[in-house]
Amino acid sequence: MKILEGKSYDVLVCGAGCAGFCAAVQAARAGMRTALVEKYGMPGGIMTVLGNQDVAQFNAHGKMVIEGIGWAFLKELEAQGYAEIPDMSVKGLPHPLYGVRVNIVAAAKLMDDYFQREGIDLYYNQPVVSVEVEEETDGTRITGVLIASKQGIRRLKGTVAVDCTGDGDVCAWAGAPYECGGESETDLQPGTLRYYLDGSPSQEGLAALSAGVERALQEGRLLPEDFAGHSLGNVLEARGDNINHISGFNAADSDSKTAAEIRGRQSVLRMLEAFRRSGAGVTIAGCAPEVAPRESRRILCDGYITGEDYVSARRYADAICYSFYPIDLHRSGANGIYQVFLEEGRVPTIPLSALQPRGLVNAYVAGRCASGDRLANSAYRVKASCMAMGQAAGAAAAVAVQENGGRARGCRLEHIKQILLENGAIVP
């Protein structure tokens, strides 16, 4: 097979979701020749492509704990009229009310603007298909990735790789150890296929819709997981956002993911049929292209965050950013969510060592696939925390190039923090 030779970069970021966005922008701002590889044609990942428009949580107990590139992006989006930012200084609200709601198209376009301002080379619609490595005395070096372009398979080289794929594909393929799920690799949190409602029922229509939905449940034409514990009122209020649970699949396994996509569309169609039969004037205008996963691989790194570490707000010597969200472990089907809320004054941190994959000498991981157990991961997987981790990884990658020939270990922590502070981040 002929491989097309592409460019060489200081920092090669894979995945353009919330973590990858901040990682690439930060690396480029630190003077790195930076590439960003993305399987979709749109940046933003779950925030945009998969339809989860709420970005949380930047504040803890009435105080901002995450800012930097991600927060500046949202403030700019708000100034354009395309983001709704609540008052973060107000304490005691239910945690969903602290989410920043964005317009999907405007958010993706502004991300494009950021990339172009910083001179980042973009590879949209070009998924990584293989990782190239070399063995060294102290571990494995990622030398580059192969991506699928319309011209053919293309090789990109990089001094440092930053894996922001969500599923940890790059690090896993390079040989890094990982955990996946609980007792088995299908014992994972369910995903959600978001859909978009059109129409609002009258009071009379609402009664008809409620009766129709109840009949559909009794007759088995609707299943409890199609609601995942929500009421019809929740469904209508949310307009189809974050409603169903698609359970028992592993997003890091393509066959399992394929089956989940089919079941996701079946679930949405059951809702569509129930709405249509009721004659209440509510329909489903469309849905996201994929089931959005909550959990898959967790890459094992030098550091490891446990649920106990997280809720006790353990202070690490190499803490590099904050995270704030309750333990939020979704259960299969309609079995609800296991949650543990953080006590007043406790703000968890993420150590840099939890972003340094074991066995890989020149790689970082950031976002949902960072190193920790299931409980901690269910909290730090959310978008604001991913933005903070991504920016930290981007700064660390820049320092690794500047100080250490691309090696992730042995860099000066204070140098990394200095870069983050210069770019507006809040550093523990």
Side-chain angles (χ1 to χ4, degrees), residues 196-198 272 283-287:
Y196 312 102
L197 292 185
D198 186 23
L272 175 60
T283 189
I284 293 175
C287 71

PDB file of all heavy atoms in Angstrom, residues 196-198 272 283-287:
ATOM      1  N   TYR A 196     -34.165  16.002  18.196  1.00  0.00           N
ATOM      2  CA  TYR A 196     -34.630  17.384  18.200  1.00  0.00           C
ATOM      3  C   TYR A 196     -36.124  17.427  17.915  1.00  0.00           C
ATOM      4  O   TYR A 196     -36.578  17.056  16.832  1.00  0.00           O
ATOM      5  CB  TYR A 196     -33.847  18.202  17.171  1.00  0.00           C
ATOM      6  CG  TYR A 196     -32.355  17.970  17.288  1.00  0.00           C
ATOM      7  CD1 TYR A 196     -31.680  17.134  16.407  1.00  0.00           C
ATOM      8  CD2 TYR A 196     -31.639  18.546  18.336  1.00  0.00           C
ATOM      9  CE1 TYR A 196     -30.322  16.895  16.548  1.00  0.00           C
ATOM     10  CE2 TYR A 196     -30.272  18.315  18.488  1.00  0.00           C
ATOM     11  CZ  TYR A 196     -29.628  17.488  17.592  1.00  0.00           C
ATOM     12  OH  TYR A 196     -28.280  17.248  17.745  1.00  0.00           O
ATOM     13  N   LEU A 197     -36.889  17.876  18.912  1.00  0.00           N
ATOM     14  CA  LEU A 197     -38.338  17.947  18.787  1.00  0.00           C
ATOM     15  C   LEU A 197     -38.760  19.175  17.992  1.00  0.00           C
ATOM     16  O   LEU A 197     -38.127  20.224  18.047  1.00  0.00           O
ATOM     17  CB  LEU A 197     -38.994  18.003  20.160  1.00  0.00           C
ATOM     18  CG  LEU A 197     -38.919  16.761  21.048  1.00  0.00           C
ATOM     19  CD1 LEU A 197     -39.732  16.984  22.313  1.00  0.00           C
ATOM     20  CD2 LEU A 197     -39.416  15.528  20.310  1.00  0.00           C
ATOM     21  N   ASP A 198     -39.865  19.019  17.281  1.00  0.00           N
ATOM     22  CA  ASP A 198     -40.483  20.115  16.555  1.00  0.00           C
ATOM     23  C   ASP A 198     -41.955  20.159  16.947  1.00  0.00           C
ATOM     24  O   ASP A 198     -42.643  19.134  16.907  1.00  0.00           O
ATOM     25  CB  ASP A 198     -40.346  19.893  15.048  1.00  0.00           C
ATOM     26  CG  ASP A 198     -40.836  21.081  14.245  1.00  0.00           C
ATOM     27  OD1 ASP A 198     -40.863  22.194  14.785  1.00  0.00           O
ATOM     28  OD2 ASP A 198     -41.193  20.883  13.063  1.00  0.00           O
ATOM     29  N   LEU A 272     -40.730   8.676  18.056  1.00  0.00           N
ATOM     30  CA  LEU A 272     -41.380   9.341  16.925  1.00  0.00           C
ATOM     31  C   LEU A 272     -42.747   8.732  16.641  1.00  0.00           C
ATOM     32  O   LEU A 272     -43.737   9.451  16.417  1.00  0.00           O
ATOM     33  CB  LEU A 272     -40.475   9.244  15.690  1.00  0.00           C
ATOM     34  CG  LEU A 272     -41.038   9.791  14.371  1.00  0.00           C
ATOM     35  CD1 LEU A 272     -41.366  11.270  14.497  1.00  0.00           C
ATOM     36  CD2 LEU A 272     -40.051   9.551  13.239  1.00  0.00           C
ATOM     37  N   THR A 283     -43.349  16.279  16.756  1.00  0.00           N
ATOM     38  CA  THR A 283     -42.618  15.300  15.974  1.00  0.00           C
ATOM     39  C   THR A 283     -41.124  15.433  16.255  1.00  0.00           C
ATOM     40  O   THR A 283     -40.692  16.353  16.959  1.00  0.00           O
ATOM     41  CB  THR A 283     -42.896  15.472  14.470  1.00  0.00           C
ATOM     42  OG1 THR A 283     -42.339  14.361  13.746  1.00  0.00           O
ATOM     43  CG2 THR A 283     -42.305  16.779  13.935  1.00  0.00           C
ATOM     44  N   ILE A 284     -40.361  14.513  15.726  1.00  0.00           N
ATOM     45  CA  ILE A 284     -38.906  14.556  15.844  1.00  0.00           C
ATOM     46  C   ILE A 284     -38.354  14.977  14.491  1.00  0.00           C
ATOM     47  O   ILE A 284     -38.563  14.295  13.489  1.00  0.00           O
ATOM     48  CB  ILE A 284     -38.338  13.198  16.283  1.00  0.00           C
ATOM     49  CG1 ILE A 284     -38.797  12.898  17.723  1.00  0.00           C
ATOM     50  CG2 ILE A 284     -36.817  13.195  16.199  1.00  0.00           C
ATOM     51  CD1 ILE A 284     -38.399  11.518  18.229  1.00  0.00           C
ATOM     52  N   ALA A 285     -37.688  16.135  14.469  1.00  0.00           N
ATOM     53  CA  ALA A 285     -37.203  16.687  13.209  1.00  0.00           C
ATOM     54  C   ALA A 285     -35.886  16.060  12.766  1.00  0.00           C
ATOM     55  O   ALA A 285     -35.539  16.107  11.584  1.00  0.00           O
ATOM     56  CB  ALA A 285     -37.039  18.198  13.354  1.00  0.00           C
ATOM     57  N   GLY A 286     -35.137  15.488  13.682  1.00  0.00           N
ATOM     58  CA  GLY A 286     -33.856  14.889  13.332  1.00  0.00           C
ATOM     59  C   GLY A 286     -33.140  14.431  14.584  1.00  0.00           C
ATOM     60  O   GLY A 286     -33.625  14.633  15.703  1.00  0.00           O
ATOM     61  N   CYS A 287     -32.000  13.797  14.398  1.00  0.00           N
ATOM     62  CA  CYS A 287     -31.209  13.361  15.555  1.00  0.00           C
ATOM     63  C   CYS A 287     -29.734  13.456  15.216  1.00  0.00           C
ATOM     64  O   CYS A 287     -29.346  13.625  14.056  1.00  0.00           O
ATOM     65  CB  CYS A 287     -31.593  11.944  15.986  1.00  0.00           C
ATOM     66  SG  CYS A 287     -31.084  10.629  14.873  1.00  0.00           S
TER      67      CYS A 287
END
